[in-house]
Amino acid sequence: IYNEIFLGKAYDHPRITLPEQPTVIDVGANVGLFTIWAARKYGARTILAYEASPTTHECLVENVARHVSSEAAATCFNLAVSFEAGRELILHQPPWNSGFSTILDGSKLPWVDELRDKGELLTHKVPSTTVSREMAVRGLASVDLLKIDVEGYFMEVLEGIAPADFAKLRNIVLEAEYT
């Protein structure tokens, strides 16, 4: 993940233009590498980092505390971003890699059923929110950069953005897989 973000510059697209001290939302923050990169690259004023896995969220909080300067107001949330707020979702996670946790089930990702059958699948019940709800609760008139990397669950995240809020999102980058 480090190589993808810092060395490969996966999110450093020339068409992304941000104001000084932008507001960034990191959906699927994992251990915080994108959050750290955005704080350093853009001098973000506000970064909201969302990670559904409780175990991975602990690493996210530690990494952000260590590697994001106090000038950036980076806040970490242990929430799944989805199409509806207030639901309890089941997160599936292999025991060996935090980057593969997903809300999708075995019908879309066979490895979920394979690990469950072997007794190796970790599952967590996680509360959900939406991008629109978080914008409203946090008082965000706009978001300069919305990053979505949620291991195949990106359509559900996009469905959680009210039509009026799409106009308030200046840039969206997302990783699309498992289609």
Side-chain angles (χ1 to χ4, degrees):
I1 298 171
Y2 175 86
N3 288 345
E4 176 185 353
I5 294 171
F6 283 90
L7 303 178
K9 300 182 180 184
Y11 295 105
D12 197 6
H13 196 279
R15 293 180 77 185
I16 295 174
T17 56
L18 301 180
E20 284 189 35
Q21 298 185 315
T23 296
V24 176
I25 294 180
D26 183 357
V27 176
N30 198 299
V31 297
L33 291 174
F34 175 83
T35 295
I36 294 164
W37 177 81
R40 292 178 180 179
K41 167 80 176 170
Y42 298 117
R45 170 179 38 99
T46 301
I47 303 175
L48 306 176
Y50 296 85
E51 174 52 45
S53 167
T55 54
T56 306
H57 179 262
E58 290 176 20
C59 295
L60 167 66
V61 170
E62 282 183 33
N63 286 333
V64 167
R66 270 192 207 143
H67 301 290
V68 174
S69 70
S70 60
E71 291 86 44
T75 309
C76 303
F77 302 93
N78 188 199
L79 294 166
V81 180
S82 185
F83 59 90
E84 184 179 18
R87 297 183 68 215
E88 186 174 77
L89 303 175
I90 303 297
L91 179 79
H92 309 287
Q93 186 170 10
W96 63 82
N97 188 326
S98 68
F100 288 134
S101 61
T102 185
I103 303 291
L104 298 176
D105 61 23
S107 69
K108 296 207 168 119
L109 295 175
W111 66 260
V112 171
D113 287 341
E114 290 167 14
L115 288 178
R116 181 180 294 113
D117 292 346
K118 292 179 187 177
E120 296 179 4
L121 185 68
L122 303 174
T123 59
H124 308 280
K125 292 181 181 179
V126 295
S128 70
T129 190
T130 67
V131 170
S132 286
R133 181 183 186 289
E134 293 302 304
M135 289 174 67
V137 168
R138 314 279 167 226
L140 301 177
S142 65
V143 173
D144 299 304
L145 179 59
L146 169 63
K147 174 267 202 178
I148 304 169
D149 183 357
V150 288
E151 302 309 312
Y153 200 69
F154 59 94
M155 290 302 296
E156 291 81 355
V157 173
L158 293 171
E159 289 170 13
I161 303 171
D165 288 334
F166 266 107
K168 301 173 187 175
L169 302 172
R170 297 195 173 119
N171 295 277
I172 301 174
V173 293
L174 67 89
E175 186 170 311
E177 69 283 307
Y178 304 128
T179 54

